[in-house]
Amino acid sequence: MRKLILAAASIAALALVGPATAQSPIVIKFSHVVATNTPKGLAAEKFKELAEKYTDGKVKVEVYPNSQLYKDKEELEALQLGAVQMLAPSNSKFGPIGVKEFEVFDLPYILPDLKTLRKVTDGPLGAKLLKLLDAKGMTGLAYWDNGFKQMSANKKLVAPADYRGLKFRIQSSKVLEAQFRSLGVVPQVMAFSEVYQALQTGVVDGQENTWSNIYTQKMHEVQKYITETNHGYIGYVVVTNKKFWDGLPADVRANCEKAMKEATAYGNAQSQKENDDALAEIKKTGKSEIVKLTPEQDAAMRKAMEPVYKDVASRVGQPLIDEFLKETRGATN
């Protein structure tokens, strides 16, 4: 796979220095792993529309959804090598490449609501985290929402004990691994594009995701129960290849930044709507029973996951968690 990525990067480099560069538009390949009709998919399409408009066609954005180019594990390497110019990986994807600080976003129950989240992403803490990506050859451009996660399985999940012994698909994240181990679950790291089939064939028993991801990937068709937990947040960091971004003409870069800012506002506004609509559609199908927790059951889940904070502190440092909690005060930890 690395050879294929390198070959793609070489072709991309040649395209940028070809004889027709002055007349040809600058191509931005934007790769992502979810469907077009999700918050991330819609925001990517909006960025394409606005970037091409604001640069008067000097930029052409090619969006590749649904892992058409690269799966979860491959996409960041492809970006670093220059085979693609833009991605929007979930926060958890940065831990495995050495930027563990983004793991804080994965802590269970750390973000009580979207207003608190925005306080983090739009403030100095969000900017500080983005700056850490420079050392990895990336420029962080924006934070995009997906929404809050729910738990699904073929058995009813209302208490921590109900999770014991189940196999759950997780993203590659030490925090999510610790989260599920605290519930007695066997976590299985798996690419997003493979989850539906794994649930259908019983390779895994359950998974966690937002309503829009569950609905667009048809996971509700192969899971009997979805428990409304809102225990965690899925968000993305839009990143670009630093060398590519720094090499853009100043006016082109400024117009792309303007397009990104507007696409971010659009996508984040869509996120809540998409999740609400997806939940309504899932209910309509009647294929999954939606389970709501009582306040007591919710408290028991929060308590069961408390040890995860200590586990994460050993890797990212307690000061960063404290800084995060100061911004998200009111969250249970």
Side-chain angles (χ1 to χ4, degrees):
M1 178 49 69
R2 188 179 169 82
K3 282 180 184 171
L4 286 173
I5 294 171
L6 278 167
S10 301
I11 293 165
L14 283 170
L16 286 172
V17 295
T21 301
Q23 294 80 29
S24 302
I26 298 161
V27 175
I28 297 178
K29 287 186 178 176
F30 193 150
S31 171
H32 66 80
V33 301
V34 298
T36 302
N37 58 335
T38 56
K40 177 168 32 175
L42 292 167
E45 294 298 330
K46 179 57 78 174
F47 172 71
K48 169 185 167 65
E49 176 200 322
L50 295 175
E52 291 176 355
K53 177 183 162 187
Y54 292 155
T55 62
D56 293 323
K58 287 179 191 168
V59 160
K60 183 184 178 215
V61 181
E62 297 175 356
V63 181
Y64 297 91
N66 272 324
S67 308
Q68 282 175 13
L69 288 184
Y70 302 105
K71 290 185 181 177
D72 288 329
K73 285 180 185 173
E74 306 152 2
E75 60 176 12
L76 280 167
E77 186 183 10
L79 183 88
Q80 288 171 310
L81 292 169
V84 289
Q85 288 71 48
M86 205 169 276
L87 305 172
S90 54
N91 294 311
S92 17
K93 299 294 190 314
F94 296 100
I97 66 159
V99 193
K100 292 181 284 194
E101 289 83 354
F102 281 92
E103 291 182 0
V104 181
F105 283 98
D106 283 337
L107 279 167
Y109 301 108
I110 196 165
L111 290 159
D113 51 45
L114 286 171
K115 189 180 170 189
T116 310
L117 165 72
R118 204 61 65 233
K119 200 174 158 194
V120 172
T121 57
D122 293 354
L125 181 53
K128 183 169 111 174
L129 289 169
L130 289 183
K131 201 76 194 126
L132 298 173
L133 297 169
D134 289 4
K136 299 294 175 183
M138 300 179 216
T139 297
L141 298 174
Y143 290 95
W144 286 1
D145 293 346
N146 185 321
F148 290 93
K149 294 185 283 187
Q150 323 303 333
M151 299 282 200
S152 78
N154 284 324
K155 70 178 278 194
K156 201 175 277 195
L157 304 170
V158 294
D162 298 330
Y163 290 81
R164 208 160 292 140
L166 296 180
K167 286 178 292 190
F168 259 64
R169 177 266 172 176
I170 66 162
Q171 299 186 65
S172 180
S173 161
K174 294 289 182 190
V175 184
L176 298 180
E177 208 173 295
Q179 170 188 287
F180 280 109
R181 290 203 188 281
S182 72
L183 295 169
V185 163
V186 181
Q188 309 265 325
V189 175
M190 186 178 290
F192 182 74
S193 56
E194 295 164 15
V195 181
Y196 175 86
Q197 194 176 5
L199 293 168
Q200 187 184 40
T201 55
V203 170
V204 291
D205 302 305
Q207 60 84 48
E208 55 165 15
N209 243 304
T210 59
W211 292 117
S212 66
N213 276 354
I214 291 169
Y215 179 67
T216 56
Q217 297 295 314
K218 303 187 191 314
M219 295 176 198
H220 61 291
E221 294 181 1
V222 287
Q223 296 275 265
K224 289 177 185 167
Y225 301 98
I226 305 171
T227 304
E228 199 164 353
T229 51
N230 291 310
H231 63 282
Y233 164 77
I234 297 185
Y236 311 110
V237 180
V238 185
V239 286
T240 183
N241 178 287
K242 189 174 186 329
K243 194 175 172 187
F244 167 79
W245 197 249
D246 291 348
L248 288 175
D251 63 320
V252 170
R253 189 168 58 248
N255 281 312
C256 283
E257 283 168 353
K258 181 185 175 189
M260 180 56 68
K261 192 175 179 183
E262 290 181 25
T264 299
Y266 168 82
N268 289 347
Q270 283 287 120
S271 169
Q272 191 60 52
K273 182 185 181 300
E274 290 294 314
N275 281 302
D276 290 345
D277 291 351
L279 172 56
E281 290 300 322
I282 290 168
K283 282 178 177 172
K284 238 187 259 180
T285 68
K287 291 186 176 178
S288 275
E289 183 184 327
I290 311 294
V291 181
K292 282 188 178 288
L293 298 179
T294 65
E296 294 76 22
Q297 288 166 339
D298 180 66
M301 285 294 292
R302 289 170 184 266
K303 188 166 177 52
M305 292 191 200
E306 273 177 12
V308 183
Y309 280 71
K310 282 187 191 135
D311 183 273
V312 175
S314 69
R315 275 197 314 286
V316 306
Q318 191 62 45
L320 178 63
I321 294 177
D322 290 342
E323 197 177 345
F324 213 90
L325 285 170
K326 197 194 280 183
E327 293 294 325
T328 65
R329 195 141 311 196
T332 302
N333 69 306

